[in-house]
Structure formats: C-alpha cells, structure tokens
C-alpha cells in the first residue's frame, strides 16, 4: 500500500454513511482508460499499470506510487475481458508497471481510510473477483506473468499473486511485501494471505515472517521463499521477461487463428428505479427494498456457434451474460439498501435449451468456451452477492439448462404450480401462452459446466450429502418439470398454487425485509457454500470475513486506529485485548 | 367518518359479509376446510342427540337485529364469517405505527406474530366445545341445554372466524394451522390444546357456569386487546366475536346467580349451611369452584412482565383493554409500571417499564370485572338474609404461571409453608368428595319448564320466549 507523506486526517470522507455514496459506473473501454494501457504483439499482450495520480474515482486522494482504487480495478476488469474476447490469439499476458519507480503500492491507503465500510467491502469483493477471473485464464491457455519491474507492495503484490508466474527485478532494492499487518493494522485481504500459502505454497512460519515484515523481501530470498518465481538482474530483465512470455505462449493450446469480437458499450436505459438492457430488466421497489431482475431469453437464440461469431456481443447468450454482469455490479455497488433480489426469466424454454446445446456441444469453439467461462464467473458473482436471492419460477419463464443455474444460485426458489387462472387467456410478452404451467429443465449444465467457488456444482451443493436426491434429479435430465415434480425432487423451496402465490411471495418478502441485513448476509454466505473449501472459498469466506471484521474494529478504523493514524507520524493506540 | 356496512351473503355455502363469492380462491380454500370442520363437530361436538334447538344465528353485524332465532338441527347450523363494520378511516391507535392507517393485509414483518396470536385465540374456541361435549346429557333444564348449545355453536363460529383470517391472510402456512386447530383436542395426551385451562375437563354444570363466567371472560379480554389491533381484519373479527361472547358470560353469570339463589333457598328452608343432603350445593363448595376457575383463568394472562406483550404492543398488533379511551401517549416508551412479584417469600411489586407490564395491566382489568359477579351473588345472599359472602381469592393463590407460580399463598393472601398449604388445600379447592357430590346432582331434566333441584329457574326465557318454552326438540 502507498506510503504517504501527508496526514490522513485531511481525507474527505467521500463515502461516509452520512452522505450519499457515489454512484459507480462500470462502463469503460481502452480509449477511456486512465490507468492502464496495453499492446498486443503477436501472441503476447503487454499490460502496463500507469495510474493517473489525479484519476481517483472519487475526490479526496491522489493515487500516488501506482496505488489503485475501484476505478483502477474497473479498468483492469474491462481489460481482462477484452483480452479474452477481442484478442483471443493472445496466449501470454505480461503485467508490468508503466512507472520507472515501482510496480504498484497497492490499494490507496487514503482512499481506504476515508471510505465507509460498505465501500471498502464492495471494493475488495470486486477486486477479488477480477483476480479470480485472471486465474480462470490459466486453464484457458492465456498465461499471466507478473513482471515486477519495481517494488510490489500490499495489493500490488496481491495482484501479482493472481498471475501464474511472478518475475521480480533484482536491483538490490525492489521487493515484494505485504505490509498491511505491521503498517495498517488490517490484512492483505484481497487474496494475499491465502495465495501466499495456498498457491505459492510458502511455509506457514515464513508466511508469518513475511506478512509482518513491512519492507518484504527481494532478490534471492524472495525466490528461496517461493514468493516469486525468479529474481532477474536488471540488465537481463527485458530479455528474460520476453523469453518467459514466449515460452508460455508456446505451451498454450489456444486456437491460433481465432478472430476476436468487439465489446461495444452496453445499451442501457437508466431511470432512478430501473435499468433496462436489451435482454435484462431491473426494477427497484424502494419501499419494499427489492430489485426484480428479469432475464429475457429471445427465441432467436440458437445452438449454432456460427451465429455467435457473426453476431458477437449482440448474440443473446453473450449479451445476456454481459448485461447480467453489469446489472449485478451496479445493484451491488450502488443499491446498498435493496436487500432482496428477485430473479426471473422469461422466454421460450426451447431457446434456453438451444443455449444449453450451444454450450454443451461446442466447447472446442474458443468463443463458445469464452462465453461459457464468462457466464460461469457471473454465476459466481451471484454466489458471493450479499443480498437475499429469490428465484420466482412463473409461467412463461425458461429456467432451463444454463438459465436454471440462476435459480439454483438463489437462496430460495418458488415455483408456481399450475397457472395463474385469472390470466388464462393472456399471452405473455414472450409469446408463450400463460395457460402453460412453468417448467424447469435440468441438463448437463447442472452437472459440471458451472462449478461454484467450492468446486461443487450448485446442484451438488444443494444436495450435499444426499446422493440419492442428486441421482433422482439426474434421471429427470431433459424433462420439463412442473411445479409439483420440481418440488418433489427438491429443486424448489415451495410450489404454491395460484391461490397462495401472491400472498406467499408478498409475505416472504416483507418478512425478509424485516430481518437484520447483517445476519442475513452471514447466514446466506454460510448456507451457499457447503462442503469442501477451496482457495476461492477461503478468500471469499475466511479471509474476507476476518478482514471485514478487522475493518470495523476500532484498532483499524477508530480515530486512534492504525488506518487513521497511518501517515500522521503518530502511532496507533491499540486496544490490547485479543478477541 | 363514513362507515360501510358490508353486504351479507346468506345464500352461499358459507354465510358471510366478507364477499367470499368475489374471492374465488379463498372461497375454495374455506370450502375445502368446511367438511373437516363438520367431521370434527360430529366427533367432538355435543354428544346429545337432538332434533333441533332454538338457536340464534348471526345474520348481520349492525346495531339492531344482528341475530335470527329459530329451531335448527345442530349439524345444519349456518356457521358463517362475519366482520364488524368497516371504518375506512381507522388508524392504528398505539405503538410505533400509531397514526398510520390500519393494515388491510398482514405486514410480512409481523406475519409470524400475528399468526401466533390468531392460532392461540383460535385454539381456545373449539377447545371449549370439546370440554363441554357431554354436558348436554345432564342439563338441568331445556333452557340450560339450549344455552349450552348456543355457546357451543358460537364457539364453533369463533373458530370459523379465526380460520377465515388464517385462510384469507396467511397463505399455505395459515391453512396448515387451520387444519391443526381441528387436530389438537382438549385433554388429548398426544396433541392437547395449547393453553392449560382448555385441557381441564368441564365435568358438570357448576363447572360450566364457572367456565363461562371466568374463562370466557378471559376470552373477552383477549378479544378486547385484539380488537385494538392494527391488523384491521383481526380487529373487526374480534369486535363482532365480542358481541357473541357477551351471551356466553351471561350464561355464566346468571347460571351462578341461580345456583347461589337455590342454595340460599335451601339454606333457609332447612336452616342449615349443609344443603348437600337436601340436594343443593353448599356455599363452601361454590367458593371452592370459584377459587379454582378464577385462578386457572388468571394463569391465561401469562407472565406479569412480558417482552412478547411489549413487542406486540409496540408493533401495533395487540393493544390494551379500551386502548383508545386511555389518556396517555399510547407509546409507553418512557413510562414505568408495577407488576406483582414474589420475592423472598413476600408478595411485593417490581418496577418495570410500562411496556413490560401489559399482561399485568390486562389481568388487573379482568380482576375488576370479575368482582362484579361476586357483588351480584353476595346481593342474592344478602337479600335472602344469609350472613355469608363469596369472594375472589388472592391473585397469588393457586397459580401455575407467572410470579406466583409455585408460591404457597392462601386465598386470603397469606404466605404459608408448602406443607401447610398442601394440608389446607382441600378447604380451598374442590376435592374428589366435592366433585362427586356435584356430579351426583347432575340429572337431566327434559320436561319444558322443569328444573333440577340444585338450581333455581331462570327469571326470563330466551328472545322473549317463556321459560317453559320447548327450547330443544328430540327425535
Ligand atoms: Fe369464543
Ligand atoms: Fe365464548
């Protein structure tokens, strides 16, 4: 993290609970980047972190020493997406600094000190997700190499840890370090602690020494302790980095002649209470504190991969994925008090099943594979979203194949048994007749295509320890299951009929809205991730939970806490009780 | 203030003034429940086989002429759903929602609490029918038999009232609770009624009068607090139930009147307090029955200091007795109150926040109301020139719930040792000998106008009919 000369108490509390938090926009593109640039040279992309000091996403701090804030991270996320979709021929990515002085000093400390708790939490979550996305690319044959041409401290080193390889320039002064504990009284909480031991396999006593030594380690010692893969003398730096990038590219099985697609800005109509994309609609009810998210699958969706290449970002499957991603991020960051999301789908089940076939049968097509990987990441975003998620399965919906994952990601699923008798004659916007009852269709998509962070499928998590139930569902694969069947199979929480539906849902939502948001967040996060731990669940669960606890403790964020005192020349005054 | 008289639909399967015909879903749900209710009534309702009974049936909710009287076969009684008149301007009178318009739907936040309140109230209604199932066989007159059945069918209707609320407003969970109301049974080992007093047997007519005087009166006070509810359908339901409930208490009050009068007559005729031999019930025995039924009913009010009651009040779910006539802020957030306590062997008081003292407040209202009966009965005794008085025992006597649970307190309010209390309890509470005596007097009198030996005849009949009217026809 940044070492600052100015006292922190000059920081404007930009996202203080008292004032309205800034609304965050996730739209960006290479032509708008302020903090990054990249060049593609054959099979290798060169990515430069070059933070504009005056480019903070909110006023009140300067992004010195290549330190970052949410705005820097939003650009990084966009950049990773473009490397996947627009530059599919890229097989290795070199992540380095555009500054001479250092690689990256991590998250901006003045930004953190001046941030509200929700802002810090959302920022860290998004950062984590982007880093996990970078790690997804390992399997996809796009190797990320962190080329640390200067010191990488805190979040800067954490960013490097998300890469497959870490090269550090050996200039007798550059180092990698995690100074959060000794200097700031918080954790290297966006994956740092976890990846050092889980991914880099650093021995735990060494990890302890490293994480409490503010200046960190460089050179041979950093290699010996496995903190980096290589320490490269200055004069050989450029050659070695280029060689490593070429070697990684050579080892990749990525399709060589892939033609990328453009990712134009999303079309989105915004009002105070709605977000309307081509296929995804969000409506906020502020009194009820709910957001209704409708994913409309058009019948133009086919199982033909050529259509995906032709239409590119306009293809419904990719478009829905992008829109949903954007909607989740906006709701999560900008609508803190909208505590319950209702997830609905609409459209022909056949179209959803076409998407299912496209995904199931064409993973050898790079764009299908990339779109699938993206959808997997978006579902994972839902899994770690601190909102109550409730799927409503109504007539005219298409919770089938990949779209059934949306329902399974929810905390509860309610499915109408039968039809809404009063609108028997009505025709739904999707064109489906309302007289057909809602159905769910389980496909291969439920059995491994979209694993959760815990490595299990959502169905596997749902029926954890109950293999018979899982088998019973597997036997119904491909069948259109109506409410009663879905309920019997355990695929939905309840299948009320027409008589009960409206009241049941209304009461459920009102009751939910009356519960403690904190207790709900904790409860839901615990219920969603059953079974085995992975590095990912440890980062989102254990590490994040500890970090968030530490963030609200006076020892970090109190007036005498380390975060506030950092850079003032005065020492934090700790409450010495161990809790 | 406008008030709307809901239209009565008396032609449909379920008579109602809640426009069931316009709510197909609800109508279907209630019609599904109806046969289960009728089965329950056949199994657990009055065991005496009658042709028809002179009963009143609710047909309207207005001030005048809300009931219709006629001989009807009991199983053809028209149990209906009636809510009192709708006041579109009604506002919540207390708690943190004070001043807001009343709720026409259940706020999800309070679903669980409201459902619980309704289930507990609803559970008592059929319970008393079950408790009184066999009483008809020993009715002291046709008039009394008719009154018993009137109370029974109306308790059945009260069950309908609560089931209507559960069906109309609580979705599937509400329907499941409605089924459970028929599945629990008074005194059952496996699935008893929720409240203790409703699992006690009502083995004889003295107990029946005591029950309708003391225990139905608890019902009156519970309904009175629910009538204040911010959940308008509950409020309107309870308001109308209170109208019917008044008759139940009338049966109790006048029933005990008549027992006391007959005892006084026998005492004078035979110039002794020992009227048992003369086919009467001695005053001491009546006092013991009062002691028992009064104290069991006191327990129904719950703990003196209750956070549940406080939460219900703050949320606007359950008010105080005559909430709107009280002159305070109706929030009680900063007020203090005193509740009964039993500490170090002493009857004393605790200062608590007023919100926590609401059960005590209601119990206090109830006790004052109970006193009116005692005054009546003592007046009867005084008129007969008898120098003895009936009384209400001390609030701490014979209690199983609340501050005095397990305390050894005499009816006079004296704290004694447990062994002392046990040694003397036969002087205070009905013994097997007492109960056997009362039971021995229970012989049916089925001839119109005739009355059993242990009770005086009523002074007037029902609905201006003579006392010797044939209130019940047999096959
Ligand atoms: Fe009743
Ligand atoms: Fe009653």
């Amino acid at each position: 993290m940044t070492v600052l000369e100015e006292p922190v108490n000059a920081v404007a509390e930009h996202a203080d609970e008292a004032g309205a938090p800034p609304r965050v926009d996730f739209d960006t593109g290479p032509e708008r980047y302020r903090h990054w640039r990249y060049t593609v040279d054959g099979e290798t992309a060169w990515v430069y972190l070059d933070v504009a000091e005056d480019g903070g996403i909110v006023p009140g701090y300067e992004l010195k020493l290549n330190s970052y804030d949410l705005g820097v991270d939003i650009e990084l996320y966009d950049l990773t997406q473009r490397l996947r979709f627009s530059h599919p021929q890229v097989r290795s990515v070199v992540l380095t600094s555009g500054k001479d002085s250092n690689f990256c000093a991590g998250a901006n400390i003045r930004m953190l000190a001046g941030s509200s708790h929700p802002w810090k939490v959302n920022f860290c979550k998004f950062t984590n997700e982007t880093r996990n996305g970078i790690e997804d690319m390992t399997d996809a044959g796009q190797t990320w190499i962190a080329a640390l041409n200067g010191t990488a401290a805190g979040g800067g080193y954490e960013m490097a840890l998300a890469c497959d390889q870490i090269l550090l320039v050996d200039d007798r002064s550059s180092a990698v370090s995690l100074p959060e504990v000794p200097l700031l009284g918080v954790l290297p909480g966006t994956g740092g602690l976890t990846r050092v031991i889980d991914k880099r396999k650093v021995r735990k006593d060494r990890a302890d020494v490293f994480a409490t030594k503010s200046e960190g380690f460089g050179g041979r010692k950093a290699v010996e302790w496995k903190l980096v893969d290589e320490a490269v003398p200055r004069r050989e730096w450029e050659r070695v980095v280029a060689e490593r990038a070429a070697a990684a590219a050579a080892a990749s099985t990525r399709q060589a002649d892939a033609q990328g697609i453009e990712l134009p800005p999303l079309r989105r109509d915004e009002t105070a209470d709605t977000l309307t994309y081509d296929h995804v609609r969000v409506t906020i009810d502020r009194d009820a504190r709910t957001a209704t998210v409708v994913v409309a699958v058009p019948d133009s969706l086919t199982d033909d991969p050529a259509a995906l290449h032709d239409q590119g970002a306009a293809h419904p499957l990719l478009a829905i994925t992008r829109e949903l991603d954007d909607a989740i991020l906006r709701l999560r960051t900008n609508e803190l008090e909208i505590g319950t999301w209702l997830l609905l789908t609409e459209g022909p089940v056949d179209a959803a099943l076409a998407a299912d076939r496209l995904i199931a049968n064409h993973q050898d097509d790079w764009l299908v594979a990339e779109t699938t990987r993206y959808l997997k990441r978006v579902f994972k975003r839902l899994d770690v979203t601190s909102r109550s998620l409730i799927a409503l399965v109504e007539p005219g919906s298409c919770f089938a194949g990949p779209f059934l994952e949306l329902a399974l990601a929810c905390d509860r699923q309610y499915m109408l048994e039968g039809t809404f008798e009063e609108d028997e004659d009505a025709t739904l916007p999707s064109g489906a007749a309302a007289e057909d009852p809602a159905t769910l269709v389980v496909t291969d998509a439920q059995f491994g295509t979209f694993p959760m962070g815990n490595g299990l499928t959502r169905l596997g998590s749902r029926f954890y320890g109950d293999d018979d139930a899982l088998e019973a569902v597997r036997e119904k694969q491909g069948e259109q299951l109506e409410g009663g069947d879905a309920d019997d199979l355990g695929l939905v929480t309840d299948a009320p009929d027409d008589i009960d539906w409206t009241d049941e849902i209304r009461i459920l939502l009102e009751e939910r809205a009356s519960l403690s948001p904190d207790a709900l967040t904790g409860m839901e996060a615990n219920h969603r991730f059953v079974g085995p731990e992975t590095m990912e669940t440890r980062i989102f669960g254990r590490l994040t939970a500890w970090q968030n606890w530490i963030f609200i403790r006076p020892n970090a964020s109190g007036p005498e806490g380390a975060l506030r005192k950092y850079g003032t020349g005065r020492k934090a005054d700790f409450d010495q009780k161990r809790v | 203030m406008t008030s709307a008289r809901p239209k009565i639909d008396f032609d449909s399967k379920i008579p109602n003034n809640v426009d069931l015909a316009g709510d197909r879903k609800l109508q279907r749900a209630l019609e599904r429940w109806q046969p289960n209710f009728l089965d329950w009534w056949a199994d657990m309702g009055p065991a005496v086989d009658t042709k028809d009974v002179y009963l009143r049936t609710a047909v309207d909710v207005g001030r005048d002429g809300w009931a219709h009287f006629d001989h009807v076969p009991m199983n053809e009684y028209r149990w209906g759903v009636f809510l009192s008149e709708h006041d579109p301007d009604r506002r919540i009178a207390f708690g943190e929602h004070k001043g807001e318009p009343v709720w026409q739907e259940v706020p999800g936040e309070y679903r669980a609490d409201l459902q619980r309140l309704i289930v507990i109230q609803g559970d008592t209604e059929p319970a008393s029918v079950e408790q009184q199932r066999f009483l008809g066989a020993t009715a002291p007159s046709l008039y009394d038999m008719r009154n018993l059945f009137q109370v029974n069918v109306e308790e059945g209707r009260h069950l309908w009232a609560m089931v209507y609320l559960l069906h109309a407003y609580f979705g599937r969970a509400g329907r499941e609770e409605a089924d459970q109301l028929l599945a629990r049974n008074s005194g059952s080992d496996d699935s008893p009624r929720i409240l203790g007093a409703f699992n006690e047997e009502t083995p004889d007519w003295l107990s029946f009068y005591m029950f309708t005087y003391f225990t139905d009166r608890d019902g009156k006070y519970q309904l009175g607090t629910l009538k204040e509810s911010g959940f308008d359908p509950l409020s309107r339901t309870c308001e109308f139930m209170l109208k019917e409930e008044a008759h139940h208490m009338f049966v109790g009050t006048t029933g005990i009147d008549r027992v006391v009068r007959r005892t006084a007559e026998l005492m004078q005729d035979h110039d002794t307090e020992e009227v048992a031999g003369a086919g009467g019930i001695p005053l001491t025995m009546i006092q013991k029955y009062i002691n028992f039924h009064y104290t069991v009913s006191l327990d129904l009010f719950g703990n003196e200091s209750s956070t549940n009651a406080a939460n219900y009040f703050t949320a606007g779910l359950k008010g105080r007795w005559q909430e709107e006539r009280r002159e305070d802020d109706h929030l009680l957030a900063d007020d203090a109150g005193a509740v009964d306590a039993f500490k170090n062997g002493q009857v004393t008081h605790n200062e608590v926040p007023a919100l926590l003292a609401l059960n005590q407040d209601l119990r206090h209202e109830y006790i004052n109301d109970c006193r009116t009966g005692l005054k009546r009965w003592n007046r009867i005794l005084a008129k007969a020139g008898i120098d003895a008085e009936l009384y209400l025992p001390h609030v701490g006597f014979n209690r199983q719930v609340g501050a005095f649970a397990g305390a050894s307190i005499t009816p006079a309010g004296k704290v004694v040792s447990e062994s002392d209390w046990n040694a003397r309890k036969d002087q205070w509470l009905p013994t097997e000998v007492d109960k056997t005596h009362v039971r021995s007097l229970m012989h049916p009198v089925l001839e119109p106008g005739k009355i059993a030996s242990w009770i005086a005849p009523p002074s007037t009949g029902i609905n201006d009919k003579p006392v010797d009217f044939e209130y019940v026809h047999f096959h």
Side-chain angles (χ1 to χ4, degrees), chain B residues 221 363-372 392:
Chain B
Y221 280 83
R363 186 184 284 118
H364 182 75
E365 297 283 347
Y366 168 79
I367 292 172
N368 281 340
D369 195 14
C370 285
R371 293 211 171 99
T372 59
L392 287 180

Side-chain angles (χ1 to χ4, degrees), chain A residues 208-465:
Chain A
D208 186 284
V209 172
F210 175 61
T212 50
K213 189 174 169 61
S214 58
E215 67 276 27
F217 295 114
R220 280 226 310 273
K221 182 126 183 195
V223 177
E224 199 186 309
W225 282 31
K226 300 194 278 197
L227 296 167
V228 304
D229 295 290
E230 278 181 77
V232 183
R234 223 181 162 80
R235 60 187 185 294
E236 294 175 31
W237 177 249
E238 281 178 27
R239 178 183 60 79
V240 171
V241 171
E243 274 177 18
R244 297 295 174 268
S252 170
T253 55
R254 215 168 161 77
Q255 195 180 322
D257 56 350
Q259 280 296 311
I261 59 163
E262 293 297 313
L263 293 178
L266 286 172
R267 272 199 300 270
R268 180 183 57 242
D269 269 348
E270 278 182 78
T271 68
D273 296 330
T274 60
L275 288 173
T276 310
Y277 305 84
D278 289 348
H279 307 286
V280 174
R281 305 190 305 270
V282 178
T283 314
I284 291 173
D285 179 340
R286 293 195 187 278
D287 292 335
R289 282 186 275 115
T290 61
T292 302
V293 180
V294 180
V295 175
V297 181
D299 55 7
S300 60
L301 210 170
T302 69
D303 60 2
D304 178 10
L308 180 56
H309 287 274
D310 288 349
Q311 297 165 31
H315 186 272
L317 184 60
L318 181 51
I320 286 171
T321 307
R322 289 183 77 204
E323 290 169 10
L324 194 56
D325 192 21
D326 191 64
I328 292 170
L329 289 172
R330 278 166 200 273
L331 284 176
R332 221 160 66 172
T333 315
N334 296 334
E335 299 292 350
L336 299 179
E337 294 190 4
I338 305 304
T340 301
W341 296 358
L342 301 173
L343 267 65
L344 287 83
T345 56
E346 71 185 29
V349 170
D350 284 347
L353 291 174
D356 186 64
R357 289 190 302 275
L358 178 62
I359 290 168
N361 301 334
H362 299 285
Q363 284 301 308
D364 52 346
D365 180 303
W366 76 268
L367 185 52
V368 175
E370 213 55 73
T371 304
T372 309
R373 201 171 290 118
Y374 185 15
L375 191 52
K376 179 174 82 176
R377 181 54 55 194
V378 172
F379 290 148
K380 286 186 177 186
R381 262 206 222 287
L382 275 179
D383 293 334
V384 297
T385 290
S386 57
R387 302 291 190 281
S388 298
L389 304 177
I390 294 170
L392 299 182
V393 187
E394 298 179 344
S397 67
C398 56
F399 286 100
F403 297 99
L404 178 57
E405 288 297 296
L406 283 173
L408 295 172
C410 288
D411 299 298
R412 299 197 200 176
Q413 301 76 21
Y414 289 84
M415 183 166 183
L416 183 79
E417 160 129 60
T419 56
F420 292 119
E421 292 187 12
E422 260 140 38
D423 351 298
E424 252 156 14
D425 304 328
T427 305
L428 297 164
S430 60
E435 69 202 45
D436 298 328
T439 57
L440 298 177
V441 186
V442 175
T443 70
D444 271 344
Q446 273 68 56
F447 292 94
T449 315
F450 300 105
M452 297 174 63
N454 60 8
L456 304 178
T457 61
R458 285 178 190 77
L459 265 191
S461 293
R462 186 178 186 87
F463 296 116
Y464 189 67

Side-chain angles (χ1 to χ4, degrees), chain B residues 125 128 151 154-155 158 211-212 215-217 219-220 223 241 244-249:
Chain B
E125 310 292 355
S128 59
V151 170
E154 279 172 358
E155 299 302 3
H158 293 174
F211 184 94
T212 42
T215 306
D216 268 313
R217 194 169 305 273
K220 167 184 163 183
L223 291 175
M241 286 165 72
E244 294 164 310
E245 206 65 57
H247 174 68
H248 308 179
M249 280 169 293

Side-chain angles (χ1 to χ4, degrees), chain A residues 417 421-422 487 494-500 502-504 506-507 510-511 514, chain B residues 24-25 28-29 32 105-109 111-112 168-173 175:
Chain A
E417 160 129 60
E421 292 187 12
E422 260 140 38
D487 195 14
D494 198 0
D497 60 13
D498 180 32
I499 291 183
D500 289 329
T502 312
D503 260 0
E504 210 71 35
R506 178 185 64 79
I507 288 174
E510 289 181 6
E511 209 164 32
S514 72
Chain B
R24 177 187 53 81
K25 296 171 184 175
R28 227 164 63 192
R32 246 182 250 165
E105 295 282 349
V106 175
E109 184 178 351
R111 182 200 60 80
Y169 297 100
F170 294 87
R172 179 175 294 192
R175 282 206 307 281

